[in-house]
């Protein structure tokens, strides 16, 4: 894979980066989104493919992108297809920082050192060229405004942006409500993006440990849902926040 195209993890991170503060919106769920974006990028490169709700390596050849190739190698070592929700919910320590450092090396952001409460050192990241972020945002805006089915890359980016909760960051307030709704609807235009986005939301909603099943509803025998009752989908609106906030991070989001 050449470097003529930005990868989905890079684009998702640039979307989340606030140009005024140098912080990233939805930092905890963004970590999950970056792991999911790696899967979609590998699928677009023809290295992996969905197998039901699982991910299978179909071509183990490296892409040339070190971070993606590290993920590809980990998937290959699993030997068997892995559930997307388990992959995304696994340890992803440092993934956001890895991509921030990569964007800095590429000259797309620069680090700004500071202090939190006058004591703890912090690092924030400012975009060096806001035109790149505007171009990425314009693709989403166009898909939302025109209603024309977007290309798979843009559809997957929209799905991931919705999954990690960037809708309110990109389209805030009551005036952005319809845009947020259409952003969510774009999830259906890319099967892989949809699979990964739903897995991200499932991890946040705490259902990564087991396959999806019908929640309690009109009961049949032994307390099971009655025959013919359709399983309810988990809420797809505003993703719940993952319960990982225990330690304060000195590095800016």
């Amino acid at each position: 894979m050449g470097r003529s195209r930005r990868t989905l993890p890079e684009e998702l991170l640039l979307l989340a980066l606030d140009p005024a503060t140098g912080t990233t919106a939805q930092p905890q769920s963004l970590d999950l989104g970056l792991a999911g974006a790696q899967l979609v990028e590998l699928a677009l490169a023809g290295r992996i493919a969905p197998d039901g709700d699982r991910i299978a390596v179909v071509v183990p050849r490296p892409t040339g992108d070190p971070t993606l190739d590290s993920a590809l190698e980990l998937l290959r070592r699993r030997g068997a297809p892995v559930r997307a929700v388990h992959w995304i919910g696994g340890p992803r320590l440092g993934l956001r920082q890895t991509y921030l450092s990569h964007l800095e090396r590429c000259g797309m952001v620069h680090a700004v050192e500071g202090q939190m409460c006058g004591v703890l050192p912090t690092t924030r990241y400012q975009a060096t060229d806001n035109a790149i972020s505007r171009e990425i945002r314009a693709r989403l805006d166009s898909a939302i405004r025109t209603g024309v089915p977007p290309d798979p890359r843009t559809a997957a980016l929209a799905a991931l942006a919705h999954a990690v909760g960037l809708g309110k960051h990109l389209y805030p307030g009551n005036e952005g409500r319809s845009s947020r709704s259409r952003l969510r609807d774009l999830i259906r235009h890319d099967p892989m993006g949809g699979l990964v986005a739903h897995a991200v939301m499932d991890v946040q909603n705490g259902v990564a440990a087991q396959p999806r099943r019908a929640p309690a509803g009109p009961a049949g025998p032994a307390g099971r849902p009655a025959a013919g009752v359709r399983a309810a989908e988990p809420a797809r609106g505003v993703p719940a926040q993952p319960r990982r906030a225990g330690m304060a991070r000195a590095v800016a989001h």
Side-chain angles (χ1 to χ4, degrees), residues 12-34:
L12 184 64
L13 187 52
L14 287 170
L15 267 184
L17 194 63
D18 190 313
T21 65
T23 61
T24 51
Q26 302 296 107
Q28 292 177 318
S29 55
L30 183 60
D31 289 340
L32 302 175
L34 291 173

Side-chain angles (χ1 to χ4, degrees), residues 56-148:
V57 175
V58 293
V59 177
R61 186 177 68 252
T63 66
D65 181 297
T67 309
L68 289 176
D69 288 342
S70 176
L72 179 62
E73 177 62 14
L74 288 174
L75 285 166
R76 187 193 66 79
R77 288 179 184 175
R78 294 291 184 96
V82 58
R83 289 185 65 210
V85 71
H86 287 164
W87 171 261
I88 291 168
R92 292 291 176 269
L93 296 177
L95 189 57
R96 181 160 34 106
Q97 185 58 51
T98 295
Y99 274 106
L100 283 169
S101 298
H102 171 73
L103 291 177
E104 185 180 19
R105 288 193 300 272
C106 292
M108 286 189 272
V109 302
H110 68 276
V112 179
E113 305 297 332
Q115 288 185 328
M116 181 186 298
C117 301
V119 179
L120 292 175
T122 64
T123 304
R124 300 177 184 272
Y125 291 85
Q126 300 284 351
T128 56
D129 184 359
N130 288 327
I132 297 175
S133 297
R134 286 195 297 268
E135 181 272 325
I136 299 169
R137 172 70 178 273
R139 283 165 40 212
L140 290 186
D141 290 344
S142 177
I144 287 173
R145 184 179 63 255
T146 64
V148 175

Side-chain angles (χ1 to χ4, degrees), residues 196-218:
V196 169
H198 283 137
V200 168
M201 290 186 282
D202 281 348
V203 172
Q204 293 179 83
N205 289 326
V207 296
Q210 56 188 355
R212 274 187 219 183
R213 59 184 60 188

Side-chain angles (χ1 to χ4, degrees), residues 135-251:
E135 181 272 325
I136 299 169
R137 172 70 178 273
R139 283 165 40 212
L140 290 186
D141 290 344
S142 177
I144 287 173
R145 184 179 63 255
T146 64
V148 175
D151 62 276
R153 181 174 293 274
T154 301
L157 181 62
L160 288 163
H162 166 70
V164 302
L166 288 184
K168 288 188 175 181
H169 168 70
L170 299 171
Y171 307 104
N174 287 333
E175 64 276 13
R177 183 177 300 171
S178 62
S179 293
R180 293 195 298 272
S181 178
R182 288 192 289 270
L183 180 71
R184 179 195 62 219
D185 291 343
L186 290 175
I187 201 170
R188 70 182 187 274
H189 289 294
D190 179 61
M192 184 65 180
L195 168 65
V196 169
H198 283 137
V200 168
M201 290 186 282
D202 281 348
V203 172
Q204 293 179 83
N205 289 326
V207 296
Q210 56 188 355
R212 274 187 219 183
R213 59 184 60 188
R224 294 183 181 133
V229 175
R230 187 177 179 181
E233 285 280 336
R236 299 297 187 202
V238 179
Q241 289 298 313
R243 298 176 182 176
R244 293 192 288 169
M247 300 174 60
R249 299 179 68 91
V251 176

